Amino acid sequence: MPIKIPDDLPARDILEREGMDVLHEKDAVRQDIRPLRIGLLNLMPNKIQTETQIARLIGATPLQVELTLVRMSEHIPRNTNADHMAAFYRPWIDVQAERFDGFILTGAPVERLTFEAVSYWDELRQLLDWTQSHVHRCLTLCWAAQAALYHFHGLPKHELPQKAFGVYPHRVLSLSSPYLRGFCDEFSAPVSRWTEVRKSDIREDAELEILAESAVTGICLIGDPVFKSLHMFNHLEYDTITLADEYFRDAGRDPNTILPNQYFPNKDLSQLPMNSWRCHAHLLFANWINEIYQTVPFEFARLPKKSIIL
């Protein structure tokens, strides 16, 4: 089944060129199908690139998905055209009364700040609480995963001595997890972060399950059933060249920027990197979408609201 996104969203042309079936809004109205409603709070600086990456992955399943782009209500992004934001993004304050089958929160280039120093932290905390009554399942990525674990469980983030940057092997710790169905025992994933969440800080009574980790860069995936979330600290959603874009951006500011680990063939910047994580990216997102489909009531609006007790 296709994914439903706005007709003029730049991601549409890219995905159609890749052969993905993208549903036009007028055609969606004719179909007597309840699509899964997925919200995307996109905090990444390159909004269009991230929109495309997420749409590609959630639109590759057999289910019809309707993607809603969401932004923080007061925060004004500096790196994305204001017309694009006005045309395609809804402020969170405008969707508070709505319910979503799934909700994705991305990373943000603020991880070296304390959470409280982030300008939209108070609103993000309200949004995280809102997901517990208005969202069936959440998927948090990179900084958003750290933010959610800090908000709900009090887990701190720790700054690394140098940026964890590159492609690293990860070991699956729970093959029985529905999110890791079909995974190999080991998989590669792009990593790009200055901070980490540590095992030693996780309380035994937190009911958090570490699903995958790297011997070098630590925890990758955490299941959080109490708060209906899957937290991923790394970037399986990245395109082949995303780490290259980040490297050249940072090297333009600092010539001592480290090369991404195990990424450029023979450390030759002129060679196109090989994508060794694409299949597992599709598997993870397909498993997340399938878990939503298998567990959400047809009329999700009838679900009782959940009280949050911390």
Side-chain angles (χ1 to χ4, degrees), residues 89-103:
Y89 281 78
R90 299 176 62 191
W92 173 63
I93 195 171
D94 287 354
V95 303
Q96 285 187 43
E98 301 177 19
R99 291 181 184 266
F100 292 86
D101 301 295
F103 206 84

Side-chain angles (χ1 to χ4, degrees), residues 166-229:
V167 180
Y168 293 87
H170 291 76
R171 185 164 54 95
V172 170
L173 302 181
S174 179
L175 285 171
S176 64
S177 168
Y179 299 118
L180 298 179
R181 190 177 292 114
F183 267 59
C184 298
D185 293 342
E186 185 175 279
F187 65 95
S188 296
V191 181
S192 180
R193 51 183 164 82
W194 287 95
T195 55
E196 66 176 357
V197 168
R198 295 175 180 167
K199 275 186 186 179
S200 57
D201 291 323
I202 299 176
R203 301 189 316 273
E204 290 187 8
D205 62 351
E207 297 187 47
L208 296 172
E209 183 182 11
I210 299 173
L211 302 177
E213 66 177 354
S214 162
V216 179
T217 60
I219 304 172
C220 174
L221 282 165
I222 289 182
D224 186 359
V226 172
F227 291 96
K228 307 181 300 183
S229 295

Side-chain angles (χ1 to χ4, degrees), residues 29-47:
V29 173
R30 299 195 193 107
Q31 295 191 355
D32 188 19
I33 295 173
R34 179 175 107 59
L36 291 181
R37 294 199 69 213
I38 305 296
L40 170 61
L41 179 71
N42 187 359
L43 301 172
M44 292 289 276
N46 190 331
K47 299 269 188 289

Side-chain angles (χ1 to χ4, degrees), residues 17-32:
R17 287 198 299 271
E18 294 176 359
M20 180 173 288
D21 190 6
V22 185
L23 191 65
H24 287 273
E25 293 177 292
K26 61 180 175 61
D27 296 325
V29 173
R30 299 195 193 107
Q31 295 191 355
D32 188 19

Side-chain angles (χ1 to χ4, degrees), residues 6-22:
D7 290 344
D8 298 328
L9 191 71
R12 173 179 288 277
D13 288 340
I14 298 171
L15 297 178
E16 287 181 336
R17 287 198 299 271
E18 294 176 359
M20 180 173 288
D21 190 6
V22 185

